[in-house]
Amino acid sequence: MVRKMLSAAFVAATLTTPVQAQDLGDIVGGVARQYLQQEQDRAAFAQAQSQNTIRGYQSYLQQFPSGLYAAEARQQISRLGGSVDTRDDPYAGGSNSAGLSRDQRVAVQRRLNALGYSTNGADGNFGPGTRRAIALWQRDRNYTQTGSLTTAQANEILRGTAVAGSSSSSAGASSGSAARAEDDIGLSRSQRAAIQAELTRRGYDTRGIDGVFGRGTRGAIASWQQANRMSATGYLTVQQADQLAR
């Protein structure tokens, strides 16, 4: 499907005169990004359908307020007896919170981008792109995918540490420590994609090579670590990342 879309974009671009190489790359890249966003939209709505709860559909709408299935999600919320108005984002500067400053919001976006979660810009505005990035970040850390940050999550992104007083188990604390250690490496999206490609080449299926470390990639990393007698955390150390990215 992706190949067909990219081929169509290539034909359309070459029929336009004149077309520079850079322009053609932008066109094809734009088609690929659009396809990826549509797939994320479908996946998010499928998750909401599997939950079939008011909160699940509201979570979808927070991530994709103008998504492909937004109208259907609102219908389902009404059917379940809920309101189509999602709760205020505690970081939108609304009545529920003093909110993050604009500089802090920009810092959150830049940090998410550095971790491989594209926000489609870093302007301090938490739009659909940032909501998707936050939801993916939450998913990879086993948080509820709301697309909105709690105070603890904002601190974790901005400072690389969780808020004190967590009641996590020792195993959860160990996993959180491994996740923060990987965050500190600062892998770019291209480096993450290279790691996914190498894991796939070695027989560990990451379920895609997109530069985003989702559940498939975490499972592949853990399997690779276990096979090489390492602690199977699903998160990479500096040495492991260097070994896979070269």
Side-chain angles (χ1 to χ4, degrees):
M1 179 65 181
V2 175
R3 185 177 297 175
K4 290 182 179 179
M5 293 179 68
L6 294 178
S7 297
F10 179 82
V11 171
T14 53
L15 291 177
T16 304
T17 307
V19 175
Q20 301 296 326
Q22 182 178 358
D23 295 334
L24 180 58
D26 290 342
I27 292 172
V28 174
V31 172
R33 285 192 296 274
Q34 182 179 9
Y35 176 77
L36 178 60
Q37 289 175 355
Q38 290 175 348
E39 287 302 300
Q40 291 172 337
D41 190 331
R42 291 188 183 94
F45 187 69
Q47 182 180 25
Q49 284 183 310
S50 67
Q51 296 172 351
N52 197 33
T53 62
I54 294 173
R55 184 173 180 177
Y57 289 115
Q58 286 178 337
S59 176
Y60 167 79
L61 288 173
Q62 284 181 325
Q63 298 175 61
F64 300 92
S66 302
L68 298 171
Y69 310 97
E72 187 174 349
R74 292 186 176 93
Q75 290 175 356
Q76 292 300 326
I77 290 173
S78 297
R79 180 183 65 80
L80 293 169
S83 170
V84 296
D85 294 327
T86 58
R87 63 181 177 82
D88 289 342
D89 176 4
Y91 292 101
S95 59
N96 289 346
S97 170
L100 290 171
S101 69
R102 185 179 182 85
D103 287 344
Q104 287 173 318
R105 291 162 72 88
V106 170
V108 166
Q109 290 173 316
R110 288 176 176 170
R111 182 62 175 160
L112 286 169
N113 283 311
L115 294 174
Y117 303 98
S118 175
T119 62
N120 294 334
D123 56 3
N125 177 32
F126 281 14
T130 301
R131 298 297 177 196
R132 286 192 295 273
I134 291 172
L136 289 172
W137 179 86
Q138 290 170 326
R139 178 199 66 187
D140 291 345
R141 285 153 182 79
N142 294 320
Y143 295 131
T144 302
Q145 290 179 246
T146 64
S148 296
L149 293 171
T150 65
T151 300
Q153 291 168 0
N155 287 339
E156 188 173 343
I157 292 175
L158 289 171
R159 295 194 285 270
T161 57
V163 172
S166 172
S167 59
S168 300
S169 65
S170 59
S174 176
S175 177
S177 177
R180 290 192 294 272
E182 185 187 273
D183 286 351
D184 289 340
I185 300 173
L187 293 170
S188 67
R189 185 157 187 159
S190 61
Q191 288 174 317
R192 288 172 174 256
I195 288 170
Q196 290 173 319
E198 180 60 18
L199 284 167
T200 301
R201 187 187 71 79
R202 297 188 185 198
Y204 302 97
D205 184 12
T206 61
R207 299 181 186 177
I209 301 173
D210 56 6
V212 176
F213 282 9
R215 291 183 181 178
T217 301
R218 294 301 173 196
I221 291 173
S223 296
W224 172 78
Q225 289 170 327
Q226 186 173 20
N228 288 275
R229 299 181 179 179
M230 305 170 185
S231 179
T233 63
Y235 295 90
L236 296 171
T237 65
V238 174
Q239 293 80 6
Q240 292 167 358
D242 287 342
Q243 185 175 347
L244 291 171
R246 60 186 175 185

